[in-house]
Amino acid sequence: MKDYYRILGVSRDATDEEIKKAFRRLALKYHPDRNPDDKEAEEKFKEINEAYACLSDPEKRANYDRFGTPEGMGATADAGFGPFTSTFSDIFEDIFGDFFGTFTGQRRRRRPTKGADLRYDLEITLEEAVKGTEKEIRVPRWVRCDVCDGTGAKPGFGPIACPDCHGTGQIRFQQGFFSVAKTCSRCGGTGQYISTPCSKCHGGGRVRRYRTISVKIPAGVDTGSRLRMTGEGELGEHGGPPGDLYIVITVKPHKFFKREGLNLYCEVPISFPQAVFGTEIEVPTMYGPERLKIPASTPSGREFVLKRKGVPQLGGHAIGNQIVKVYIDVPKKLTPKQKELLQEFARISGDEVQKGFMEKLKEFFSGVETS
């Protein structure tokens, strides 16, 4: 788990203002526009964005402190993605805009920001991974409040001019020879204040809702595969576009098959007479049963290849094989007649029955050449 507090260089009990100041300082230092072609600075900037996206949101910060993820046990904001991908000029304006506003007399407006990307962990079976499938998932995300229509105010009231800045979005004060303007802390620079917040969204203008989404899983995915669904992430703020949804795949272990790359491995039992005289058996595959010829004198542990019965290559045309390993199934109980015949077989073969026929049987098959 990434330590967001360490990334921003603040303590775990840091205030919102301390976190914001740390972000501004680091973002100004590592922004790609200020460090062109510097991959290390670019990665550092992404980490800073990710940390601030979590710690600046009270709900995400509480979930992170408790569960170690911004969204608790449900869908999570995907690492490296979020609304803080502003340009260097945006950060510069965010830091120094209050002072420039003194001379321009203009109130800063909130810029549209892209919604946060979401992550959803999806577990599927091996059969679904090999053949592909379609799943319906329920993803929690922010949507516009249907009671206040996104205004955040109780119906019939609406926002009013901020009583602190009188609708300008700035608080002005004298500092030496300069008249300095600072963003109004009550309205956040919007100039509007919600005196009677909506009872459903509590003034936020957004509510949490579950959305059912149909996801197509292509054939060939494996544990760790990520599928991107554009526009299915969080709702953007101030008219910004929504984020994306990333489906992270986990494939459950199979009782019969084991996957290694594009190949599938399995073990199939055969009897002692089948191994000695040869036979033809039916083997299960992901595509239906297949007939497999077992030649005479087949030793336990021999492997057979069923071509193109494995896993298709994700986004390609190749298909792996199925490797079938046979082993001799030693019976646990024998009838008197079976014991008699096996003892006769041992006598004719010159083996000592007292040594244990099954031990001799293993010795026999370990020395048989693979035909």
Side-chain angles (χ1 to χ4, degrees), residues 100-133:
F100 293 137
T102 302
F103 304 104
T104 62
Q106 296 178 351
R107 183 177 69 223
R108 284 193 319 160
R109 65 180 180 87
R110 293 189 177 182
R111 295 177 178 274
T113 57
K114 180 183 177 182
D117 293 324
L118 296 178
R119 166 180 172 145
Y120 188 95
D121 295 314
L122 179 62
E123 187 177 61
I124 62 175
T125 65
L126 181 60
E127 288 88 349
E128 291 170 332
V130 171
K131 299 178 181 179
T133 185

Side-chain angles (χ1 to χ4, degrees), residues 143-151 155 198 200-201 205-207 209:
V143 297
R144 186 187 303 273
C145 178
D146 56 355
V147 173
C148 66
D149 197 28
T151 65
C198 172
K200 188 171 184 178
C201 66
R206 301 185 303 169
V207 291
R209 285 285 182 271

Side-chain angles (χ1 to χ4, degrees), residues 19-280:
I19 291 173
K20 188 173 184 179
K21 286 181 179 179
F23 166 72
R24 285 176 167 181
R25 174 176 54 80
L26 293 171
L28 190 62
K29 179 179 179 181
Y30 292 103
H31 197 281
D33 290 354
R34 209 180 194 192
N35 302 272
D37 301 323
D38 189 338
K39 294 296 183 181
E40 185 175 349
E42 182 179 345
E43 290 303 317
K44 185 68 176 176
F45 184 71
K46 288 180 180 180
E47 277 194 338
I48 295 166
N49 285 340
E50 179 184 344
Y52 186 62
C54 172
L55 300 184
S56 62
D57 186 300
E59 181 181 352
K60 291 181 179 180
R61 183 178 180 183
N63 284 330
Y64 173 78
D65 290 341
R66 184 177 179 186
F67 301 111
T69 62
E71 298 293 342
M73 305 305 290
T76 63
D78 194 73
F81 303 93
F84 297 95
T85 54
S86 55
T87 63
F88 179 72
S89 60
D90 295 335
I91 296 175
F92 188 82
E93 181 184 347
D94 187 42
I95 298 173
F96 300 108
D98 292 336
F99 295 94
F100 293 137
T102 302
F103 304 104
T104 62
Q106 296 178 351
R107 183 177 69 223
R108 284 193 319 160
R109 65 180 180 87
R110 293 189 177 182
R111 295 177 178 274
T113 57
K114 180 183 177 182
D117 293 324
L118 296 178
R119 166 180 172 145
Y120 188 95
D121 295 314
L122 179 62
E123 187 177 61
I124 62 175
T125 65
L126 181 60
E127 288 88 349
E128 291 170 332
V130 171
K131 299 178 181 179
T133 185
E134 190 167 342
K135 292 280 190 179
E136 284 194 347
I137 61 175
R138 296 181 71 240
V139 180
R141 64 178 183 177
W142 292 105
V143 297
R144 186 187 303 273
C145 178
D146 56 355
V147 173
C148 66
D149 197 28
T151 65
K154 185 177 181 180
F157 288 85
I160 63 174
C162 177
D164 288 0
C165 65
H166 306 291
T168 65
Q170 298 176 332
I171 303 295
R172 298 178 181 273
F173 59 94
Q174 196 73 24
Q175 184 172 339
F177 295 101
F178 298 98
S179 175
V180 180
K182 183 178 181 180
T183 301
C184 178
S185 59
R186 181 187 288 265
C187 68
T190 64
Q192 293 184 323
Y193 174 71
I194 299 174
S195 59
T196 309
C198 172
S199 60
K200 188 171 184 178
C201 66
H202 307 291
R206 301 185 303 169
V207 291
R208 206 70 168 159
R209 285 285 182 271
Y210 277 91
R211 172 179 168 83
T212 301
I213 301 174
S214 181
V215 182
K216 290 185 178 180
I217 310 296
V221 296
D222 201 357
T223 295
S225 296
R226 297 202 327 165
L227 310 177
R228 178 184 179 185
M229 301 191 70
T230 305
E232 293 293 349
E234 292 284 22
L235 183 69
E237 295 185 357
H238 315 302
D244 300 328
L245 173 64
Y246 287 83
I247 313 295
V248 182
I249 302 296
T250 298
V251 181
K252 293 188 290 187
H254 197 276
K255 293 182 179 180
F256 183 68
F257 292 104
K258 181 181 179 182
R259 176 176 177 176
E260 292 185 12
L262 297 183
N263 292 332
L264 293 175
Y265 291 79
C266 66
E267 293 186 354
V268 176
I270 59 175
S271 66
F272 173 56
Q274 287 176 322
V276 173
F277 299 111
T279 187
E280 190 174 286

